[in-house]
Each structure stands twice: as structure tokens, then as C-alpha cells.
Amino acid sequence: MSLGSNISSKRKSLKISQEYVAEQLGVSRQAVSKWETSQSEPSTDNLIKLADLFDSDIKELVSPEQYVKEQKDIETRIERNQKNIKMQMAAVFGRVLTLIGFL
């Protein structure tokens, strides 16, 4: 998907108008329309403001597929780390019980 269609999709999912986005960013509604139809692109400053307005990461606007993949990779690493911690805790608990048994 293009940046313009990502902006449009995010705006519509939040149920906000082009006019509202324009007011919040200090640009014209036509500028927002041009971004959404890929006739132009927002400046870096406006891209940052859009991400803030949409409560999202800039990567989510620029490349949502990559953003989703990165988020899934992060979740996978967190789950793996949590499993490792549980296994280590079980091993420590087992050793403590063994020591108590010898006493």
C-alpha cells in the first residue's frame, strides 16, 4: 500500500474527517486530500504530526506491512524470553527443593 492509502485508511478507521486532520496539522483540506491520493506527500514534520494525531508509529504509516512484521517478531521474542525465564525459575525451584530435602 502507498503512504497516501495508509493515511486515508488510518484516518477512516479513526472516523475523523480530512477537515479535522487539516485543522490539527495547520494545513488545508486539499493538502490532506492530495496526500491520500498520492498526488503529494506530507513533509517530515507533517508525517510526525500525523503519526501523533493517529496515535501510531511513523513506520505504521509509511510501511504497515513491515511494522506488523516487526511487532510480531518482538512478540515472538518476548514469548520466547518468558518461556526461558519460566524454565530457569523451575530449575532454581527444583534445586532449592533438593537442597531442602538434604537438610
Side-chain angles (χ1 to χ4, degrees):
M1 287 177 64
S2 70
L3 174 59
S5 60
N6 295 339
I7 292 170
S8 176
S9 178
K10 189 69 173 173
R11 178 184 61 76
K12 289 175 184 176
S13 73
L14 294 171
K15 296 180 176 32
I16 57 179
S17 67
Q18 288 181 342
E19 290 84 5
Y20 180 79
V21 172
E23 286 175 13
Q24 297 303 305
L25 273 62
V27 299
S28 68
R29 187 206 53 79
Q30 289 83 0
V32 176
S33 176
K34 286 182 178 183
W35 298 340
E36 291 185 359
T37 57
S38 297
Q39 294 176 22
S40 68
E41 291 187 351
S43 66
T44 303
D45 286 343
N46 283 331
L47 191 57
I48 292 167
K49 290 176 186 177
L50 279 169
D52 187 45
L53 178 65
F54 295 160
D55 195 26
S56 64
D57 192 290
I58 290 176
K59 287 182 183 179
E60 189 177 358
L61 292 175
V62 175
S63 180
E65 297 84 8
Q66 182 65 27
Y67 178 78
V68 168
K69 182 185 178 305
E70 288 175 4
Q71 294 305 308
K72 286 181 181 178
D73 289 347
I74 290 169
E75 290 172 7
T76 301
R77 279 186 263 145
I78 289 171
E79 289 173 8
R80 192 177 320 125
N81 287 341
Q82 288 174 338
K83 286 179 185 177
N84 288 339
I85 289 169
K86 287 179 184 178
M87 289 174 34
Q88 291 172 357
M89 293 295 290
V92 168
F93 186 67
R95 289 182 184 129
V96 169
L97 288 178
T98 303
L99 286 173
I100 291 173
F102 283 123
L103 298 175

